[in-house]
């Protein structure tokens, strides 16, 4: 047994570090957190100063037992978990759970997994920083209190099965408010006038310096320009410089990976974690843009080698955020000479992004010459402006250019303008006045939401990805692409002294991978905003993050911070849980049907639905589920009434009636007492008898292929093909077939023996949900 036991979080990290340490070290992994608050119950002793009641996770008992055994034998135990608050907390939990003598324990931290960094860390150990641990405990306890007390309120007052989180609820609020800004936006049209000219046999494009408010104005201007003389009034050249962006922080990496590579924030962090654990990049959870002097010197050397001395320009970036956590460096490559790495396609792409961004940050400014040409015309006082831009020296742009979420509304010339002289006449080829429309604010992407959260001071590098992932898992937000709609726009053209008008079409409102609130998300947001304003207040949430920072700095006790929050919060929970507080359903009265019955839409037990008739009337109301493309805040009376066309009788198949309807789990076809779910591409309002018959036939075929064996004397016992291979089912319980037995040759007696053996073992059995379709009904 080696004298030293070094413990890290992940097996991949352990494998990399083990290569750098000699035979005196055994390197093991805790495989993440080993202790946490219990899954059931609050797990916090509120009466005794909010003490957490930690327990070892059920899936970590073997890991803990092994580490405990190794720790007793080792002379020194090195806790080498990540350097941030979460890593510090894991180290502290290891110390507690393994029951290690603190005198033989050393805490080591490093910013990259390279041999020099690991050996340097071993030479400079420290003790566990309890302030960092307490900051993490405060976050964990606060989030548990909010979730545990708020979720039951939502069950009683909105819908069962819902949950709420502190930071997640604020993220949902941002998306809901943006959606309402968009739906409430009133678009107005204007006309943009662009002229195309020739100068010295070269083409020149220029734009009218102002926008016109109406087609009348645009037409009047074009008529004035008939036969007008166009002349160069002035040319202004402005030298400018463009500087590179700072190296990546967690949030800027998530934003750029989303824009340039199309990665989700969770995907980016997963790939970055892998790169870090293999020793390719520095630690990937950081607020800092700082680079070590060694990194700056290495980047400079690489720039000089690849591009020459004139491209090198070292810089020291300073972190703007006062709340930056303990990490001391930006995300960068560990070896600047490694332009490419071993790894899968995704890892290579993300590493390439990090390498380019870091190297570019230590390169010279790009030098740009901007030219602004002002053009007079004799028809009116209005002027045209032509813009040109020439890159005189590319500098850092040779390697990297940052993307942006916002698209430019104004089109500009790219490249050099033709050589021209003041007072020179231009030949007009064509002048277009194109109808444009004002646009609402853009919907959030994952990247732009991270940017917004960071700007508001909400969350930290370790929380951005889990926050965005959680709100989607809870069904409050969806990330999807939606088709746009066709829109007409007018184009007026002056050509050969004649003005013509043409109507063209364009697609507007198309969205790709944007975040949308669901109806459930909107109702929950409105309820929380009404009753728990502090939880959803941006400034309050940002202040909580500052409180965590203060605790991490050792300036405040974490239990005091929790106590100050909990007392008023708990009172609000009790008040909101009372019978006086009305249930929230987001109900909207849409109008009345032809018979005068009230038509409304609301959030029901199984999701958004339309109700025809009133609950307290003698006649029982009818209900219809909204289609996936319909939403409670936008559905019209006509669309709602259309939903009651279901169920539809399609005709007969095999002398039995076929109907189509929609239920709790979506649309389905009913035939001969059986139910068949409709595939997503089939619309229940448009499906034909022929297509419905095909759906039934397809499902029957699948069922036949699924059945391997059935037994006449014991119909409850079957051998079926499942997702993970063949298995036995009996009385809706599933049993695994041993690998050495052929499912096709098993006898009934052998099946019963397998079932009996598993029942005696006490192993939990998976319940079987046969695809009879019965669950599809309302």
């Amino acid at each position: 047994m080696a004298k030293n036991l070094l413990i890290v979080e992940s097996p991949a990290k352990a494998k990399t570090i083990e290569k750098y340490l000699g035979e005196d070290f055994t390197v093991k992994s805790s495989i993440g957190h080993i202790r946490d608050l219990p899954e059931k119950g609050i797990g916090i002793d509120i009466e005794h100063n909010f003490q957490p009641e930690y327990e070892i996770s059920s899936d970590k008992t073997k890991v803990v037992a092994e580490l405990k055994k190794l720790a007793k034998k080792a002379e020194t135990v090195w806790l080498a978990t990540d350097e941030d608050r979460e890593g510090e907390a894991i180290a502290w939990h290891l110390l507690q759970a393994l029951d290690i003598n603190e005198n033989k324990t050393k805490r080591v931290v490093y910013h990259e997994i390279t041999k020099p960094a690991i050996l340097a860390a071993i030479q400079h150990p420290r003790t566990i920083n309890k302030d960092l641990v307490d900051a993490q405990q405060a976050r964990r306890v606060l989030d548990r209190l909010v979730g545990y007390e708020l979720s039951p309120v939502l069950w009683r007052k909105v819908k069962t099965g819902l949950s709420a989180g502190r930071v997640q609820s604020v993220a949902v609020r941002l998306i809901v408010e943006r959606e309402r800004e968009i739906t409430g936006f009133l678009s107005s049209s204007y006309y943009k006038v662009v002229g195309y000219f020739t100068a010295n046999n070269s083409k020149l494009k220029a734009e009218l310096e102002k926008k016109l408010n109406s087609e009348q104005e645009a037409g009047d201007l074009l008529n004035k320009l008939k036969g007008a003389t166009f002349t160069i009034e002035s040319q202004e050249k402005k030298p400018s410089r463009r500087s590179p962006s700072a190296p990546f922080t967690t949030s800027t990496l998530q934003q750029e990976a989303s824009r340039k590579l199309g990665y989700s924030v969770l995907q980016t962090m997963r790939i970055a974690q892998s790169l870090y654990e293999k020793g390719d990049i520095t630690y990937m959870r950081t607020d800092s843009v700082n680079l070590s002097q060694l990194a700056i010197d290495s980047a400079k050397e690489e720039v000089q080698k690849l591009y020459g001395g004139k491209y090198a320009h070292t810089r020291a970036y300073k972190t703007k955020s006062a709340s930056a956590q303990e990490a001391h460096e930006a995300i960068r490559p560990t070896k600047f000479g490694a332009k490419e790495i071993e790894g899968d396609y995704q890892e290579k792409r993300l590493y390439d992004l990090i390498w380019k961004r870091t190297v570019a940050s230590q390169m010279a400014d790009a030098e740009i010459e901007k030219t602004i040409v002002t053009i007079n015309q004799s028809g009116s006082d209005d002027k045209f402006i032509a813009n040109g831009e020439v890159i005189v020296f590319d500098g850092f742009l040779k390697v990297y250019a940052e993307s942006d979420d916002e698209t430019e509304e104004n089109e500009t010339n790219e490249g050099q303008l033709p050589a021209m002289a003041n007072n020179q006449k231009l030949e007009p080829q064509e002048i277009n006045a194109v109808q444009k429309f004002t646009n609402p604010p853009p919907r959030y992407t994952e990247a732009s939401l991270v940017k917004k959260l960071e700007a508001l001071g909400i969350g930290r590098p370790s929380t951005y990805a889990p926050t965005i992932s959680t709100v989607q898992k809870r069904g409050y937000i969806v990330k999807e692409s939606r088709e746009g709609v066709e829109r007409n726009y007018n184009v007026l053209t002056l050509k050969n002294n004649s003005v013509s008008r043409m109507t063209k079409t364009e697609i507007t409102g198309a969205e790709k991978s944007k975040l949308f609130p669901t109806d459930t998300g909107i109702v929950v947001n409105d309820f929380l905003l009404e009753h728990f304003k502090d939880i959803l207040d941006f400034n309050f949430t940002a202040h909580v993050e500052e409180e965590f920072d203060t605790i991490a700095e050792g300036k405040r006790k974490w239990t005091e911070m929790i106590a100050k929050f909990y007392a008023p919060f708990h009172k609000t929970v009790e008040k909101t849980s009372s019978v006086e507080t009305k249930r929230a359903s987001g109900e909207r009265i849409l109008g009345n049907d032809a018979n005068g019955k009230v038509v409304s839409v609301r959030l029901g037990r199984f999701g958004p639905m339309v109700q025809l008739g009133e609950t307290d009337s003698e006649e029982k109301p009818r209900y219809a589920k909204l289609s996936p493309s319909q939403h409670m805040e936008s559905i019209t009376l006509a669309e709602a009434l259309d939903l009651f066309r279901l169920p539809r009788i399609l005709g007969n198949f095999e002398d039995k009636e076929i109907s189509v309807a929609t239920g709790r789990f979506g649309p389905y076809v009913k035939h001969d007492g059986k139910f068949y779910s409709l595939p997503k591409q089939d619309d229940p309002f448009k499906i034909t008898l022929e297509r419905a018959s095909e759906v039934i036939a397809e499902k029957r075929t699948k069922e036949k292929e699924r059945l391997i064996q059935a037994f006449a004397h014991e119909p409850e016992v079957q051998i079926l093909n499942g997702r993970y291979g063949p298995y036995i089912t009996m009385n809706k319980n599933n049993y695994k077939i041993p690998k050495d037995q052929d499912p096709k040759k098993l006898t009934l007696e052998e099946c019963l023996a397998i079932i009996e053996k598993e029942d005696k073992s006490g192993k939990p059995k998976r319940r079987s949900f046969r695809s009879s379709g019965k669950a599809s009904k309302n």
Side-chain angles (χ1 to χ4, degrees), residues 693-747:
S693 305
E694 286 175 8
V695 169
I696 293 169
E698 287 166 7
K699 292 291 170 72
R700 285 176 179 174
T701 302
K702 282 184 181 178
E703 278 293 315
K704 283 180 183 177
E705 290 172 353
R706 185 167 173 255
L707 181 66
I708 297 174
Q709 277 204 76
F711 302 95
H713 298 299
E714 203 57 77
E716 286 294 324
V717 178
Q718 290 183 327
I719 303 175
L720 303 174
N721 251 321
R723 184 178 175 186
Y724 303 107
Y727 65 94
I728 300 167
T729 181
M730 179 178 177
N731 295 328
K732 297 186 179 179
N733 287 322
N734 296 340
Y735 301 86
K736 191 175 179 181
I737 298 172
K739 289 182 180 178
D740 59 350
Q741 292 187 276
D742 186 345
K744 293 179 182 177
K745 296 179 180 178
L746 281 175
T747 63

Side-chain angles (χ1 to χ4, degrees), residues 213-334:
N213 294 323
S214 65
E215 184 178 346
Q216 181 68 45
E217 277 188 64
D220 289 347
L221 175 67
L222 293 188
N223 282 315
K224 287 178 184 177
L225 295 179
K226 288 178 181 178
T229 302
F230 294 84
T231 312
I232 302 293
E233 180 186 272
S234 65
Q235 300 181 73
E236 184 182 3
K237 293 191 176 182
K238 292 181 179 179
S240 67
R241 304 175 78 88
R242 193 179 300 167
S243 299
S245 300
F248 282 130
T249 61
T250 301
S251 69
T252 54
L253 175 63
Q254 289 170 343
Q255 290 166 47
E256 275 292 85
S258 174
R259 297 179 193 121
K260 287 187 181 299
L261 308 179
Y263 293 168
S264 70
V265 293
L266 204 62
Q267 188 180 12
T268 297
M269 294 313 291
R270 178 183 57 77
I271 300 165
Q273 176 99 26
S274 175
L275 293 173
Y276 166 66
E277 290 176 350
K278 291 196 295 183
D280 292 324
I281 63 169
T282 52
Y283 191 53
M284 67 287 157
R285 293 190 187 97
T286 175
D287 287 343
S288 176
V289 293
N290 178 48
L291 293 177
S292 67
Q293 191 57 50
L294 178 63
I296 289 172
D297 293 342
S298 299
K300 178 182 177 181
E301 184 182 334
E302 193 64 19
V303 171
Q304 289 174 330
K305 185 175 79 175
L306 292 174
Y307 311 112
K310 67 177 182 177
Y311 279 92
H313 179 86
T314 57
R315 291 175 174 80
Y317 293 89
K318 289 186 179 180
T319 304
K320 293 177 184 177
S321 171
S323 61
Q325 277 194 34
E326 302 72 39
H328 301 300
E329 270 203 270
I331 303 168
R332 62 165 176 82
T334 55

